[in-house]
Amino acid sequence: MKFPYKKFLRGAFPAVVRPIIPIKLSYKGQTFAHEALVDSGADMCLFDAEFGELLGIDIESGEENEIGGVTGTGAPCYWHDITLTVGGHEFPTRAGFIRTLASDYGVLGQDGIFNLFVVKFDLQKEVVELSIK
C-alpha cells in the first residue's frame, strides 16, 4: 500500500512533507476515521484522548503511565485495546490516549505498525509504502 506524504505550509519557511496516512480506529462497534503520522521514532501508537472518547472509550479507565517525547516532559497516557485499520486491513493493537497530544493527527509507532508492516519511506518521491509482513 502506497500513501502520498501530506504537505504542510510553515509561513515564511518552505513547506514540509510528512508520512501521514488515513486510518480508522474502532472500539466496541464504533469507528472513527482519522489520520496518523508513520513515525519510526515512536515506540507505540498514540492518539488524542478526544478521539478515544468519540469511540466511547472511558479514557481514564485504561492502564495509566507517563510518557515523554523529544522534549523530555512527561504526560499521563491511558492504554486501551482497539482495532486499527490501515489500507482496509484490520489489526488489534494497544494504543495510548493522551490529553496533551500537540497535533491534529495520531502517531503510529514501532508497536502497532512497524511490527506488522515493512515500512519504506521515500522522501524524494514523497511516498510511504507499507507491506504486510
Side-chain angles (χ1 to χ4, degrees):
M1 299 169 281
K2 290 185 181 183
F3 300 94
Y5 278 32
K6 189 169 181 178
K7 189 172 285 194
F8 292 87
L9 301 177
R10 300 186 312 167
F13 297 100
V16 298
V17 292
R18 294 186 181 130
I20 295 174
I21 66 172
I23 62 165
K24 289 182 184 175
L25 307 175
S26 301
Y27 180 79
K28 294 186 178 179
Q30 296 292 324
T31 300
F32 179 74
H34 193 34
E35 292 182 317
L37 173 71
V38 180
D39 187 348
S40 63
D43 296 327
M44 69 286 296
C45 296
L46 294 174
F47 301 97
D48 190 287
E50 180 180 323
F51 300 122
E53 289 168 344
L54 288 172
L55 292 169
I57 298 173
D58 176 10
I59 298 301
E60 281 77 19
S61 71
E63 178 186 340
E64 179 182 355
N65 68 1
E66 189 171 286
I67 62 167
V70 294
T71 63
T73 58
C77 183
Y78 303 92
W79 299 94
H80 294 273
D81 294 320
I82 63 168
T83 299
L84 177 66
T85 303
V86 178
H89 301 280
E90 292 184 354
F91 302 94
T93 193
R94 190 152 178 83
F97 292 88
I98 185 168
R99 296 216 178 270
T100 57
L101 193 61
S103 72
D104 293 332
Y105 45 83
V107 175
L108 302 173
Q110 296 293 328
D111 184 22
I113 285 296
F114 289 84
N115 62 324
L116 302 172
F117 294 92
V118 174
V119 180
K120 294 180 185 177
F121 296 99
D122 189 334
L123 181 60
Q124 189 173 22
K125 292 181 181 176
E126 298 180 4
V127 171
V128 60
E129 184 176 354
L130 290 94
S131 304
I132 298 175
K133 289 185 175 186

